[in-house]
Amino acid sequence: MSKGADSKAKTVAAAAALFRRRGYNGTGLHDILSAGGSPRGSLYFHFPKGKEEIGAAALSLAGDGVREAIAAAADASRSAVAFVTGIIRVMSANLESSNFSEGCPIATTALETAANSEVLRAAASNAFRSWEDEIRIGLERFGIKPKRAALTSPAILGVLEGALLLSRTHRSLEPMNRAEATVRLLLAPGAAA
Amino acid sequence: MSKGADSKAKTVAAAAALFRRRGYNGTGLHDILSAGGSPRGSLYFHFPKGKEEIGAAALSLAGDGVREAIAAAADASRSAVAFVTGIIRVMSANLESSNFSEGCPIATTALETAANSEVLRAAASNAFRSWEDEIRIGLERFGIKPKRAALTSPAILGVLEGALLLSRTHRSLEPMNRAEATVRLLLAPGAAA
């Protein structure tokens, strides 16, 4: 990687980590610069449109990271239930090891910006869609019919997102345990969601 | 209501409405002042601890409003399914009429502040707990056994919160429709969540 590309990648990774913990509006450009270790000039060079452009790149990076983790969970599993509960357990471990500061890397920025930045709303929407897709692919791989997988995968993502929000707010893994019970119901044979 | 109490209530209501659309960090004190129509001096008089104190009062106000709406949905319903789908339909109507800018009045601030303001995290947690409680009371009223109602009510709140987040981000009511299907499963006789 060239020095310039490396500096750009470090800036985006630093931004993504900060947005996850504090949100988009709670993170200043100076926070991103000091966490990423890049000079101010490189920031304006790589992101001429400013913070919104960094935000979109950070959402895309975070989205890809989670999508890959979902695919890895499918690779490591032998059933649909093991696949989805595996995702939940990784999320729970992240919450616990970060003292409940690291939940969904997209949700905070998505809620903050949905009503006032179409660029960031669309980037967040694309990330969520890619996760819904990756969950759908995993479910089909374990024998769930395409039509049911297409309906169940966004329902599962909704359950996981709600649980991450409540877990962070209550500082408790109990919502994650409830989410696991809910996805077991969604995946039970004959469930009609 | 005295003039002072009226000015304080207007400030809190204006703050709650702004936090719902733009989040806590995206709302400045000047936005709250101009939306609430109160002079700057009255803000410092009523909220000597500043923005965090306004934030906690706004979360409490918004929390009470939703809790009352949940109780009203129970009063207007004749079954557990009608009760919860009634809540979902009110939420969907709010999303649609606000062009997807008005989702959960607590979630954005909760995610933004969970890792850095114990005052706001606790206020958000209290609001969510009061909703879980009000859902539990409604479920018991329609014949769901206390133990099951206690497990199912936070699961239902998680499903609703995840759906509100995805609906705002995708600008679509489809996640709300998925949520309705999921809560029907959670409330089906014999469901073991």
Side-chain angles (χ1 to χ4, degrees):
Chain A
M1 201 183 280
S2 74
K3 200 174 156 192
D6 183 52
S7 152
K8 185 174 183 178
K10 277 185 188 163
T11 300
V12 175
L18 288 164
F19 295 156
R20 183 179 199 178
R21 285 174 174 253
R22 308 183 194 169
Y24 180 78
N25 291 321
T27 302
L29 282 180
H30 58 281
D31 301 317
I32 297 170
L33 281 169
S34 67
S38 294
R40 179 167 289 266
S42 83
L43 192 137
Y44 295 116
F45 175 75
H46 291 304
F47 305 98
K49 290 180 194 158
K51 191 180 173 190
E52 193 178 52
E53 192 174 7
I54 299 174
L59 290 173
S60 172
L61 177 75
D64 288 346
V66 172
R67 193 185 50 68
E68 286 160 18
I70 295 170
D75 286 340
S77 304
R78 297 172 68 176
S79 73
V81 168
F83 163 48
V84 182
T85 58
I87 298 170
I88 293 175
R89 283 167 197 182
V90 169
M91 290 173 162
S92 296
N94 286 341
L95 283 168
E96 206 161 26
S97 68
S98 67
N99 197 22
F100 294 94
S101 68
E102 292 186 3
C104 175
I106 302 290
T108 315
T109 300
L111 286 174
E112 287 177 281
T113 64
N116 43 51
S117 164
E118 180 55 21
V119 169
L120 297 176
R121 186 205 65 76
S125 179
N126 287 341
F128 287 142
R129 290 285 185 222
S130 79
W131 304 350
E132 291 169 10
D133 251 17
E134 202 66 46
I135 295 170
R136 181 186 55 72
I137 291 166
L139 295 182
E140 288 191 32
R141 174 168 165 175
F142 297 113
I144 293 182
K145 297 250 160 65
K147 192 180 163 190
R148 183 174 172 195
L151 288 173
T152 306
S153 53
I156 289 173
L157 181 61
V159 170
L160 300 185
E161 287 294 338
L164 286 170
L165 161 65
L166 294 178
S167 285
R168 286 197 70 194
T169 309
H170 293 325
R171 298 181 71 80
S172 161
L173 291 181
E174 188 52 30
M176 302 305 291
N177 299 335
R178 288 295 96 224
E180 185 172 327
T182 303
V183 299
R184 283 178 188 276
L185 266 183
L186 282 166
L187 294 172
Chain B
M1 203 184 276
S2 74
K3 200 173 154 191
D6 184 52
S7 153
K8 183 174 183 177
K10 276 185 188 164
T11 300
V12 174
L18 288 164
F19 295 157
R20 184 179 199 178
R21 283 173 177 254
R22 309 183 195 169
Y24 180 77
N25 291 321
T27 301
L29 282 180
H30 58 281
D31 300 317
I32 297 170
L33 280 170
S34 68
S38 293
R40 179 167 287 268
S42 83
L43 192 138
Y44 295 117
F45 175 75
H46 290 304
F47 305 98
K49 291 179 191 157
K51 192 180 172 191
E52 192 177 53
E53 191 174 8
I54 299 174
L59 290 172
S60 172
L61 178 75
D64 288 347
V66 173
R67 192 184 52 68
E68 286 161 17
I70 295 170
D75 285 341
S77 303
R78 295 171 70 176
S79 72
V81 168
F83 162 48
V84 182
T85 58
I87 297 170
I88 292 175
R89 284 166 197 183
V90 170
M91 289 173 164
S92 296
N94 286 341
L95 283 167
E96 205 161 28
S97 67
S98 66
N99 197 22
F100 294 94
S101 68
E102 293 187 2
C104 175
I106 302 288
T108 315
T109 299
L111 286 174
E112 289 176 279
T113 64
N116 43 50
S117 164
E118 180 55 22
V119 168
L120 296 175
R121 185 205 65 76
S125 179
N126 287 341
F128 286 142
R129 289 285 184 222
S130 79
W131 304 350
E132 291 170 11
D133 250 18
E134 202 67 45
I135 294 170
R136 180 186 56 73
I137 291 165
L139 295 182
E140 288 191 32
R141 175 169 166 177
F142 297 113
I144 293 182
K145 297 252 161 63
K147 193 182 160 189
R148 184 175 172 196
L151 288 173
T152 306
S153 53
I156 288 172
L157 181 60
V159 170
L160 300 185
E161 287 294 337
L164 286 169
L165 161 66
L166 295 177
S167 286
R168 286 197 70 194
T169 309
H170 293 324
R171 298 181 71 81
S172 160
L173 290 182
E174 187 52 28
M176 302 305 291
N177 299 336
R178 289 296 95 223
E180 185 171 327
T182 302
V183 300
R184 282 179 189 276
L185 265 185
L186 282 165
L187 294 172

